[in-house]
Structure formats: C-alpha cells, structure tokens
Amino acid sequence: MSIGSGDLDEFMDGVRRRSPGETEFHQAVQEVAATILPYIADKPAYRDAMILERMTEPDRTISFRVTWQDDAGNVRVNRGYRVQFNNSIGPYKGGIRFHPSVTQSVLKFLGFEQTFKNSLTQLPMGGGKGGADFNPKGKSNAEIMRFCQAFMTELVKYVGPDIDVPAGDIGVGGREIGFMFGQYKRTTNRFNGVLTGKGREFGGSLLRPEATGYGAVYMLEDMLHTKNDAIEGKKAIISGSGNVATHAAEKIIHRGGTVLTLSDSAGFIYDKDGITLERLQWIKDLKEKRRGRISEYATEFGAEYHEGLQPWSIPCDVALPCATQNEINGEEAATLIKNGCIAVSEGANMPTTIDGINHYLSARILYAPSKAANAGGVATSGLEMSQNAAHISWKEEELSKLLRDIMHNIHAACVEYGSEKGGYVDYMKGANIAGFRKVADAMLAFGAI
Ligand code: NDP
C-alpha cells in the first residue's frame, strides 16, 4: 500500500484536528499509520483499546523559557521543549536538538519516531525528544555554555536516569552534553546516567559517537547481502558533515566503498576521487574544532563545491541522507533512481518526503527508513545507560559486537514483518510493524491509561 491512499484519511483527519498545523508530525504519523492500519485491521484487541490513537498522542509536551546572556551582556530568550512521548517499555529516551527550525511539531515527529526506533533495538527505552530554537552557529564557547546551563536549569525538573534520559542530536554534541551534565550535577548533587553521549571521563560509552553512522552502514550492508551484493566497490553519496554523516562515510570507506559527497546547510562538495580517511579526519576537525564550512574542503583539496545545492543529482550506487528531515523530495528520489541508485539507508530522521518514499517503494529499491537505519545511535545510548547503572565500562570489542548484532536483529525484524510476495522486502512496513508490536502489547497489559 502506498502512503497517502484513501484508507488513511479518516485516521489522519483526527490527528490533524488534535494537532493543527504540525505538518512534520502529521507526516511521521501518516508514514506509520499507512502500514499499521492494515496490520491491525484483523486484530480487534489493538483497535478496541485505541492503541494507535493513544500512540499518536504524546504522554506530555513540556515547553519552557530559556533566558541567557550573550557575550555582549544582552539578555536573550529562546524556547525549550521536552516531548515525553511514550514510556511503555522504558524511560523516555531521545536526543536534544538545538536549531532555529525547532518547533513543537518537529519534536513531536522526532519523539513519535523515537518510540518505534527504541522498540526496534529491543532495549528497554521509551520515546522522547527535546530541544530549543537556539542557533549555535556563530556563538562563542562561553555563550554555548551559558545557554546549555540555562536550558538544563529548567530541564532538570523533568529528567532522571529512570524517568527520561536525553542525548545529542543536531547542534548538540559532546561539548553541549558536557555543559548540560555539569549543570545537572551542580543542581541536583547527583552523578548518574541522566544523559548519554557523555565524555569518556564521566560515564560516556566507547563507540557512542560512531554508532549512528556505523549502524546506518551496517543496515545498508545487510540489505545488500540479501541481493548477494556488498558495499565494496560501491559509489556512495552522503549528505551532512556532522556526527552521523562523517561516521557513515568512515564505515563506507572501511568497507571498500567510495564516498563522493558530503554537505552542510550551505552546499555540497563532490570529490570525484573519493574522500579518503585522512581527508575525512580533516573534515571532522573542521566541523568539531574550527566549526568551519564544508566549502573549505573544496578550496583545500581542489574538489567541486556546489553552493546552495544538495548532492542527489550525482550518479551513485547507494545514498545515505544524514543531514536533516525532508532533504529528499519526490523529484530528487526519482533522480536518484534514474541515475542507478540501488539502495538508500537513512542516517537522518525522516530525510525523505512521503512522495520520495513512494518513488523508492514503486521502484522496489532497497530502502531502510530512519527508524531502522539510524537506531544504532540510541541502541548504544541504551548500552551507555546499562554501563552507568552497573558502574562499569565495556570494552570497544564488546560494544562493537553488540552494535553489529543489534543492527542484524533490526534488519531481521524488518524482513520478518516486511517481506512480500515475490521476495521484495518493504523495510518501512517491517520496521513500523516490528516497532509497533512491543509498545502496543505493553500498552495492552497496562489497561486504559
Ligand atoms: P550534527 O549537528 O552533527 O550535523 C548536522 C549536519 O546536517 C550538518 O552538516 C548540518 O549543516 C546539516 N544540516 C542541519 N540542518 C540542515 C538543514 N536544515 N539543511 C541542510 N543541512 C542541514 O547532527 P547529527 O549528525 O547528529 O544529526 C544529523 C541527523 O541524524 C538528524 O536528522 C538527526 O536527528 C539524526 N540522528 C542523529 C543521531 C545521533 O546520534 N547524533 C541519532 C539518530 C538520528 P550545518 O552545519 O550547516 O548546519
């Protein structure tokens, strides 16, 4: 069933009525409901208990003022949020995003997706997401610190290792988590696993920074294996140049693939010879330490730079969107397919529009939706929570094996619930149903709450 067919209309009318104007949230729900409604059509227990209706309404949405001072002494005001979406199978868990585009709708879409994703990992984590409409670009280190402290001063009322455990996302990396953890510790006088993505010195887990990007490549690898194919020799185009994009690129290179592109919000670079590991390290330093722009890569290494554009018109074998939501529309998805792309693994959350997904599905290419493909990050956050609770640190080999196994299991769950006649696997359907079942069964056990 393609997304957007008439069967969904009644359900989506209700969602739109309850959450007017929240277009990103409507989109995320529609993608899930398109596969779950047919699945529960002959399962009255879920329908009678209104499980899907309850799963599309967050447990609570908290919004608060964040007041801070910039370096010039001006008082600045932003809006902070935490959407605690669903804690049926564990404490709320999901990242914090600092970006001017953050709205309640964006965080509700992310929290909703997170509920399914966390369920897919098989670890005991519910779904949540938070953030602020704060723009970290161009801010000094001291300004970032003051903002993070002001944000945590309010957030501290709602989080805790058994309540809600945030992590990083766009605009929130190791530096910001450090500032927020410091403020949590100062305010509560508690040292615990309230945040994941922490520094190694204070409870962070090995492999957490790499896990989302690596996991998206593992999912790609497992999909290609179903066709007796492999990453070796494949040309990959990747968007973004942050945490997820650079680690996805690293793993593609480890596996013998060629990474042709990376991007940021201003444009993309196209290195026809392929980005090497040395050049990738240069990009990581550029982004993490110097906070520079991807265009500088073109100047440094003589690659092409395409200002204001995204990389989807570059011919490739595989594509990994790793920047942000709705970065591939229907036309761009059609271009990818026309140019020979055989697989898409989504490192970013909801990077493809509904129109774009319908192109993937009708062309029957290998398509791993974000809730499956990028679940390696939160899975490793789950492993960080376990290490914190037990006051231990696992070795890299153990974590690496656990991450690989979790991604294998997610792939297998997608195949189990997404296989169709003729051998085609609809990974979106598979991920939605597998993620839904665990949360739905827990909700049934709790009764009408
Ligand atoms: P980062 O902040 O590290 O990097 C984000 C990258 O995407 C930057 O290159 C940024 O460019 C680019 N970008 C951000 N917004 C836009 C935009 N509106 N248009 C074009 N480019 C944009 O974030 P992450 O790598 O952590 O996150 C990337 C994606 O992966 C997000 O969708 C996130 O939700 C998802 N994700 C992240 C996880 C994690 O563990 N970090 C886990 C699971 C999913 P610029 O610097 O110019 O803004």
Side-chain angles (χ1 to χ4, degrees), residues 315-318 334-343 365:
C316 67
D317 302 307
V318 297
T335 304
L336 279 173
I337 294 160
K338 180 170 68 69
N339 285 341
C341 178
I342 57 167
I365 63 165

Side-chain angles (χ1 to χ4, degrees), residues 43-78:
K43 297 176 182 65
Y46 295 138
R47 284 190 289 109
D48 294 348
M50 304 288 275
I51 292 292
L52 193 58
E53 287 78 358
R54 285 156 63 190
M55 280 174 79
T56 49
E57 187 64 35
D59 289 353
R60 68 194 60 81
T61 303
I62 301 150
S63 135
F64 47 89
R65 188 182 66 234
V66 185
T67 309
W68 58 285
Q69 259 182 312
D70 67 20
D71 287 345
N74 302 309
V75 175
R76 309 277 289 261
V77 183
N78 286 93

Side-chain angles (χ1 to χ4, degrees), residues 123 200 203-207 379-400 402-403 406:
L123 299 174
R200 286 281 298 136
S205 174
L206 282 168
L207 215 67
T380 310
S381 275
L383 303 177
E384 184 172 329
M385 288 166 71
S386 303
Q387 293 170 81
N388 292 165
H391 303 282
I392 53 169
S393 302
W394 291 332
K395 294 195 175 65
E396 184 161 350
E397 308 85 76
E398 297 171 76
L399 287 157
S400 194
L402 285 167
L403 173 62
I406 288 169

Side-chain angles (χ1 to χ4, degrees), residues 49-123:
M50 304 288 275
I51 292 292
L52 193 58
E53 287 78 358
R54 285 156 63 190
M55 280 174 79
T56 49
E57 187 64 35
D59 289 353
R60 68 194 60 81
T61 303
I62 301 150
S63 135
F64 47 89
R65 188 182 66 234
V66 185
T67 309
W68 58 285
Q69 259 182 312
D70 67 20
D71 287 345
N74 302 309
V75 175
R76 309 277 289 261
V77 183
N78 286 93
R79 184 173 296 166
Y81 301 90
R82 187 71 185 164
V83 179
Q84 297 184 329
F85 218 103
N86 190 309
N87 69 351
S88 299
I89 60 169
Y92 304 106
K93 179 90 198 87
I96 291 177
R97 176 177 292 191
F98 291 162
H99 195 273
S101 65
V102 163
T103 59
Q104 180 167 301
S105 168
V106 167
L107 296 179
K108 278 175 68 178
F109 115 63
L110 289 163
F112 175 72
E113 288 271 304
Q114 195 81 46
T115 304
F116 289 77
K117 182 186 314 191
N118 294 1
S119 167
L120 279 172
T121 67
Q122 293 297 327
L123 299 174

Side-chain angles (χ1 to χ4, degrees), residues 97 137 169-171 208 212 241-244 264-265 293 323 349:
R97 176 177 292 191
K137 276 203 198 87
D169 192 74
I170 292 177
R208 176 63 190 90
T212 309
S241 49
N243 173 280
V244 180
D264 62 21
S265 53
R293 309 305 298 157
N349 279 310

Side-chain angles (χ1 to χ4, degrees), residues 350-422:
M350 203 171 76
T352 311
T353 62
I354 285 182
D355 194 19
I357 294 173
N358 281 336
H359 276 89
Y360 302 153
L361 296 179
S362 51
R364 302 207 146 205
I365 63 165
L366 297 167
Y367 163 57
S370 48
K371 60 173 76 67
N374 71 27
V378 73
T380 310
S381 275
L383 303 177
E384 184 172 329
M385 288 166 71
S386 303
Q387 293 170 81
N388 292 165
H391 303 282
I392 53 169
S393 302
W394 291 332
K395 294 195 175 65
E396 184 161 350
E397 308 85 76
E398 297 171 76
L399 287 157
S400 194
K401 184 177 179 316
L402 285 167
L403 173 62
R404 192 68 196 88
D405 286 350
I406 288 169
M407 295 312 297
H408 274 316
N409 292 340
I410 293 174
H411 180 268
C414 291
V415 172
E416 182 178 352
Y417 294 103
S419 289
E420 302 203 329
K421 285 193 197 98

